[in-house]
Amino acid sequence: MDSQTSQPSPASPSPHTFQVDLRGLVDLLSHHLYSSPKVYLRELLQNAVDAITARRAEQPDAPATVRLHAEDGTLRVEDSGIGLTESDVHSLLATIGRSSKRDDGLESARSDFLGQFGIGLLACFVVAERIRVVSRSARTPDAAPVEWTAADDGSYTVRTLPHSARPEPGTTVHLVARAGAGEWLSAERVRSLARGFGALLPYDVRVGEEPIADLPAPWDRSYPSPATRRVALARHCHDLFGFTPLDSIDLDVPLAGIRGVAYVLPSAVSPAQRASHWVHLKGMLLTERAEQLLPDWAFFVRCVLDTDSLRPTASRESLYEDETLAAVREALGERIRSWLTGLAAGDPERLAAFLSVHHLGVKSLARHDPEMLRTMLPWLPFETTDGRLSLEEFAQRHPVVHFTRTVEEYRQVAPIASAQGVGVVNGGYTYDSELVEALPSVRPGTVVSELDADTVTAHLDGVDPAEELALSPFLAAARARLDPLGCDVVLRSFHPLSVPALHLDDRAARHEQARADAEEQADDLWAGILGSLRGSAPRARLVLNHLNPLIRRISSLDEPDLIGTATESLYGQALLMAQRPLRPADSALLNRAFIGLLEWATHTDPGKDDRR
């Protein structure tokens, strides 16, 4: 066996310890992690509450008090919590990222604590240049109180104090404001922040002698009657969100540890607008801007709730997107859905008031929820040729439920279809066409059909063949004038008589027209490509009403130019009546037709060559 000369292994490099620039870290916290310096007070309250929670886990009868005293640019926060020993101070307060919630066998009970990241005390440096902590441990009663003093340059000192400096277990935090930050430590600001963050905290928290907690929460209190409760919650909503709600919805999800209320907005909002909700974590306000708490369709409510199951992000100003939040979102959505179905079953007046404002949100939900569509079908309003009706009522009146996909298409055909007895639903608004198409799934036997130009034309009465043959020169002149615009001319008889002409097209015709317009403006290569895409799509059509007196007079003209000008005028008027957006070519046609008619009207001798 060949032997090999062993080579000496290189010496292992000596480990080094990360050096932390505390001022740079504080700048990072204040500009990138926390949205406002006000979070410093939340972190102080959080540490105090967690310390009390830790002590009560071992001593259930221990006092549970937090006291805040602010004056002259200083703040003192005292708690009756678990306290710290000298070794705790070195291990926890001077080690960034270290949290007591991970030590002392408490890892399995972390859900009882508010803070879990070990960086909370650093938030105080956002407003303070110096932090002094005096603490005495409840776990080690004989240990002397310890004082930890830190400056924003990263230096700190630790010393023990006589027992008289802190006779009882607990911790006191002293802050001295940094230059320009004194206002954050003023008594008025501290009181306001403490009320905002700690109104639902379960312990005795006071600013001076003034309690800040407002317990039980408004949704958990007892009231003499449902009406009294509704009034109280409406007042709470107005104080919190600034509006008086249409109604309130209890959000009680015991399995997720959630209690709260959703307030229904009194006015419509855009579905794209991100709703902001108030979320408390174990009584402490986490955020006033939780956006991902509810399903997107529930944009018509604002929520305030308390939870012990959702995870905060490191900044503790938003929620961590995980499976728990997804499950809570679904459960809260189910509570709102149940409220809607309850209104439909027992309080139609309140439901009608709600739908008059927020039908869009319910339609959004009903698209994907057949049970909700079935429940809301008698209530959801739609624009139809019979007026504003529910789909259920409309389907009872018409054997075939015709609908259009755009508002423009509906406006084209609504007056004519109504006069011909054809029922049409305007599906051009958000979600409406999808709901109409879903109608047979919840109302078996219902026939739903998209209305197109051919269907409308088929419902119009034809003209006697002999009369139409006699008018062939007129129709030829009219068709020749509109052919460059991609529009045909047909003659029909229909009501109402007051409508001289009807412009009909559909999506296929508009696509073909758009392709033709692009082909005209394109270079040779691109025009050839677009030309190869030319299909057999139907063209738009101008339907002239043979029963209308104006059409009868125009059809009796024998001047091709005048017929063409009159046809252009009818075409433009039909576009305007349908409220269709005008293309540049359409606008030019309207101007040309208007001037042409004025010229014809102001010349008495039509035989002169200069009449136009």
Side-chain angles (χ1 to χ4, degrees), residues 25 31 43 52 55 88 107 109 122 190 218 238 298 365 411 432 434 464 472 501 510 520 533 555 590 593:
L25 183 58
H31 289 94
E43 300 297 338
I52 293 173
R55 184 176 180 184
D88 292 335
E107 179 69 27
L122 290 179
V190 168
H238 189 274
L365 172 59
R411 288 170 177 164
D432 283 9
E434 297 173 72
D464 181 84
S472 57
R510 287 195 294 276
E520 288 183 2
L533 298 177
S555 64
L590 275 173

Side-chain angles (χ1 to χ4, degrees), residues 513-548:
Q513 184 60 53
R515 186 207 58 77
D517 291 343
E519 182 180 355
E520 288 183 2
Q521 301 174 12
D523 56 32
D524 292 342
L525 175 61
W526 187 236
I529 296 174
L530 291 173
S532 67
L533 298 177
R534 184 184 298 111
S536 58
R539 286 154 50 104
R541 67 197 67 176
L542 182 68
V543 184
L544 302 180
N545 188 358
H546 187 53
L547 300 180
N548 181 267

Side-chain angles (χ1 to χ4, degrees), residues 349-366:
E349 290 186 1
R350 285 171 65 198
L351 178 63
F354 167 76
L355 289 178
S356 67
V357 178
H358 295 300
H359 57 274
L360 198 60
V362 180
K363 287 181 177 180
S364 173
L365 172 59

Side-chain angles (χ1 to χ4, degrees), residues 385 409-424 451 455-461 492-504 543-545 577:
T385 49
E409 290 173 354
Y410 177 80
R411 288 170 177 164
Q412 287 180 65
V413 303
I416 309 305
S418 179
Q420 308 304 312
V422 179
V424 184
L451 191 68
T455 304
V456 176
T457 305
H459 280 82
L460 305 180
D461 295 332
R492 293 289 187 274
S493 296
F494 57 86
H495 292 273
L497 301 179
S498 58
V499 177
L502 175 65
H503 181 271
L504 293 177
V543 184
L544 302 180
N545 188 358
M577 289 297 294

Side-chain angles (χ1 to χ4, degrees), residues 471-482 489 559-561 563-564 567:
L471 294 176
S472 57
F474 159 73
L475 292 174
R479 287 167 180 156
R481 185 58 65 95
L482 294 188
V489 177
E559 289 282 346
D561 286 342
I563 291 174
T567 303

Side-chain angles (χ1 to χ4, degrees), residues 154-447:
S155 63
Y156 73 92
T157 60
V158 178
R159 63 176 181 141
T160 57
L161 301 175
H163 286 277
S164 60
R166 178 84 200 194
E168 299 296 329
T171 300
T172 302
V173 178
H174 302 262
L175 301 185
V176 178
R178 64 169 57 252
E183 191 270 338
W184 288 103
L185 271 62
S186 66
E188 182 178 355
R189 177 58 69 89
V190 168
R191 186 179 300 107
S192 174
L193 293 178
R195 284 175 177 167
F197 286 122
L200 300 184
L201 288 175
Y203 301 138
D204 180 12
V205 182
R206 302 178 181 233
V207 177
E209 297 301 320
E210 180 180 345
I212 66 167
D214 187 18
L215 295 174
W219 50 85
D220 285 330
R221 297 173 190 168
S222 298
Y223 297 95
S225 67
T228 304
R229 184 176 191 272
R230 191 177 298 120
V231 170
L233 289 178
R235 186 182 306 114
H236 174 252
C237 176
H238 189 274
D239 293 341
L240 198 65
F241 293 109
F243 65 85
T244 300
L246 284 177
D247 205 352
S248 56
I249 307 168
D250 284 323
L251 302 178
D252 185 6
V253 188
L255 292 178
I258 286 178
R259 288 283 298 159
V261 63
Y263 294 116
V264 182
L265 291 166
S267 56
V269 294
S270 167
Q273 179 178 329
R274 301 298 296 179
S276 296
H277 310 289
W278 286 51
V279 176
H280 297 258
L281 180 61
K282 304 178 185 71
M284 180 75 73
L285 179 64
L286 179 70
T287 179
E288 305 165 21
R289 298 183 300 276
E291 296 183 348
Q292 68 273 46
L293 188 65
L294 295 180
D296 290 340
W297 56 260
F299 55 82
F300 50 84
V301 298
R302 296 292 179 269
C303 294
V304 53
L305 54 82
D306 189 24
T307 176
D308 58 18
S309 62
L310 298 179
R311 290 175 55 195
T313 58
S315 68
R316 292 181 45 76
E317 294 186 300
S318 59
L319 298 171
Y320 188 80
E321 185 67 52
D322 58 9
E323 293 181 357
T324 301
L325 179 57
V328 165
R329 185 185 300 122
E330 183 177 348
L332 295 180
E334 182 57 37
R335 292 296 182 274
I336 298 173
R337 182 187 288 107
S338 297
W339 170 78
L340 284 170
T341 55
L343 287 187
D347 200 338
E349 290 186 1
R350 285 171 65 198
L351 178 63
F354 167 76
L355 289 178
S356 67
V357 178
H358 295 300
H359 57 274
L360 198 60
V362 180
K363 287 181 177 180
S364 173
L365 172 59
R367 288 184 306 154
H368 307 295
D369 190 330
E371 186 59 36
M372 179 58 63
L373 178 59
R374 187 177 293 106
T375 301
M376 292 290 109
L377 199 59
W379 308 99
L380 288 173
F382 288 78
E383 183 180 357
T384 78
T385 49
D386 291 354
R388 199 160 181 81
L389 300 175
S390 70
L391 288 182
E392 174 68 26
E393 187 175 358
F394 187 81
Q396 291 174 358
R397 297 184 181 186
H398 298 278
V400 178
V401 178
H402 293 286
F403 74 97
T404 63
R405 292 192 181 276
T406 69
V407 175
E408 290 79 8
E409 290 173 354
Y410 177 80
R411 288 170 177 164
Q412 287 180 65
V413 303
I416 309 305
S418 179
Q420 308 304 312
V422 179
V424 184
V425 178
N426 184 355
Y429 296 114
T430 306
Y431 310 135
D432 283 9
S433 62
E434 297 173 72
L435 292 175
V436 176
E437 289 181 298
L439 187 56
S441 67
V442 296
R443 196 178 188 275
T446 303
V447 179

Side-chain angles (χ1 to χ4, degrees), residues 78-149:
E78 303 173 349
D79 70 67
S80 60
I82 193 68
L84 302 171
T85 63
E86 183 175 1
S87 62
D88 292 335
V89 166
H90 285 288
S91 173
L92 300 176
L93 298 188
T95 305
I96 294 171
R98 188 75 176 274
S99 172
S100 63
K101 271 72 77 175
R102 301 191 181 95
D103 297 323
D104 302 311
L106 293 175
E107 179 69 27
S108 62
R110 285 180 65 193
S111 62
D112 293 333
F113 297 93
L114 297 172
Q116 300 175 4
F117 295 98
I119 59 175
L121 198 61
L122 290 179
C124 295
F125 280 121
V126 174
V127 298
E129 65 179 9
R130 187 169 71 254
I131 302 174
R132 185 166 70 95
V133 177
V134 177
S135 188
R136 182 170 182 176
S137 174
R139 289 198 184 104
T140 314
D142 296 335
V146 61
E147 177 190 70
W148 176 82
T149 303

